[in-house]
Amino acid sequence: MNGYRVVRFLVAGLMLVVISACGETPIDVKALKSQPKKYVGSDTCKMCHLEHYDSWKMTLHSRMMQDAQKNRDVIVTELDPAHIRADLEKIKGKLKIPVDKFYIPKVEDVKYTVGSQWKQRYLVEKDGNLVFAPIQYNLESHRWVNYNEDKWEKKLWFNDCGGCHATGVDLEKKTFVEPGVACEACHGKGSWHAALPKTEVFEKRATIVNPAKLTMGVAVQICGSCHNRGKATKHKTAEWAVGYEPGKALEAYFKSTSFGAGDVKHLYANEFSMGHHQQYIDWSLSIHAKEGVTCTSCHYVHQIGVPPTRSQTLSAGSKQCLTCHVQINNNQAHSIHSFANCIGCHMPKIATSAESGDIHSHVFVPLLPRDTLANPVIPNSCETCHKHKGQDLKKLQAAFDALTVLPKPVGSPVKVEMPPAAPKPAPKKVEAPKPAPEAPKAAAPAPATVAPEHPKTAPKEGEKK
């Protein structure tokens, strides 16, 4: 009996442990949702979504803005004043202030770095505001260039860039939740989602934005809220979508720039981008936008494992294009590059991030020499290739036309006399079948005759009976 009580006690204790392990304190969902949503930070998200957190940490979004006070290694080069001024001397004809007047921060002055792939800029504190130092390091060319050197102290980072470099930015309070483009930048504020227990499956799902489950029209605008350039509609001077939240209509919070509206610095006359982070503007002009091919059709935001490509595309180079555009033959225009270099012509590098022409166009339209002939400011796809750089544009266009215009038929038509067709035989007349003759009636059978019975004779002597 005592053993039975011990077993019951152990079972009850085990059940208590299980309940307490699963047992988040019951949440009043209605009361929770009556409170405004707040940002909680990606460190909270990783407690349940570790695999997605790890994959996000491998992307450029997570490294857009990094804390240099916590980790000096995020500064990718030396802040050597002598080297920096020597590089600036090489371009002094373009500078708006003398080289010796440039402010060059010390390592300990840098609060945050912005960028680490094409270029890097350095945020410092000035009169209580975060501002970019007037220097920029270009990674691929390994050189220092100027950045807003005549007005850097007046270009307030929170106002101009904050909402796209950090997550949870409060423009009025000049604060943010975390540097970089983190989970809640695309999924929305997570306080409700994090507070609800896992047992509240459906309520928990409903309190967070999953871009993959949105309609494409609003999902793509999440990307467009930052891969864009223009002005806020809910703030007088901000240059990012103040008040926008994932899943909302972007145009209510942000107005994109355009050449037609007077922006000749960031766009060509054909409205193609010449500035960086303007892919959404380009895409909006493309046939992809009309056909429903969005950013995530080609790019992933986070995936398990190391990113396979520099630009986080699902495949490398033209292989990405060929997953949808099956190339049947290599004639006409495609005979120029029979190795199927789609992006070389359809996505020419005509925009600038760090150095001129280091960013692909996202209108997906080849620019021909005739476009440059019509407007010399507009570049063309052909001259972005080193082989055709500096060639005579008229000859280059003529060569292109010769390849892309089908030749007219030459000679005279060939007359072929065909023998007359043999007449078709007349169809045979089909006669109706004749009725079968009647069978003659059988005669009545003759009466059977009975053979007379022979008389029995006695066997002769010697015969067997």
Side-chain angles (χ1 to χ4, degrees), residues 283-303:
W283 171 83
S284 299
L285 302 174
S286 73
I287 193 66
H288 278 176
K290 296 176 183 177
E291 296 298 331
V293 179
T294 67
C295 308
T296 52
S297 300
C298 300
H299 299 269
Y300 63 86
V301 181
H302 48 68
Q303 70 167 23

Side-chain angles (χ1 to χ4, degrees), residues 51 73 131 134 136 155 208 285 294 367 382 420 437 457:
E51 70 282 4
D73 287 337
V131 294
Q136 170 183 301
K155 297 282 289 181
I208 202 71
L285 302 174
T294 67
L367 291 169
C382 302
T457 56

Side-chain angles (χ1 to χ4, degrees), residues 317-336:
S318 296
K319 289 182 180 179
Q320 177 64 52
C321 310
L322 296 174
T323 58
C324 291
H325 300 278
V326 178
Q327 190 169 351
I328 299 174
N329 50 45
N330 290 329
N331 61 8
Q332 294 185 274
H334 290 146
S335 66
I336 300 173

Side-chain angles (χ1 to χ4, degrees), residues 433-460:
K434 295 179 180 180
E438 290 187 14
K441 293 183 179 179
T449 57
V450 180
E453 189 177 340
H454 294 282
K456 295 181 180 180
T457 56
K460 293 180 180 182

Side-chain angles (χ1 to χ4, degrees), residues 386-449:
H386 64 89
K387 181 177 180 179
H388 302 298
K389 189 71 175 176
Q391 285 191 0
D392 183 271
L393 293 179
K394 290 182 179 180
K395 292 182 179 179
L396 203 55
Q397 184 63 51
F400 180 85
D401 292 338
L403 285 166
T404 56
V405 177
L406 288 174
K408 295 180 179 179
V410 296
S412 58
V414 178
K415 294 181 179 179
V416 179
E417 293 185 3
M418 301 295 293
K424 294 182 179 180
K428 293 181 179 181
K429 188 176 181 179
V430 180
E431 297 181 359
K434 295 179 180 180
E438 290 187 14
K441 293 183 179 179
T449 57

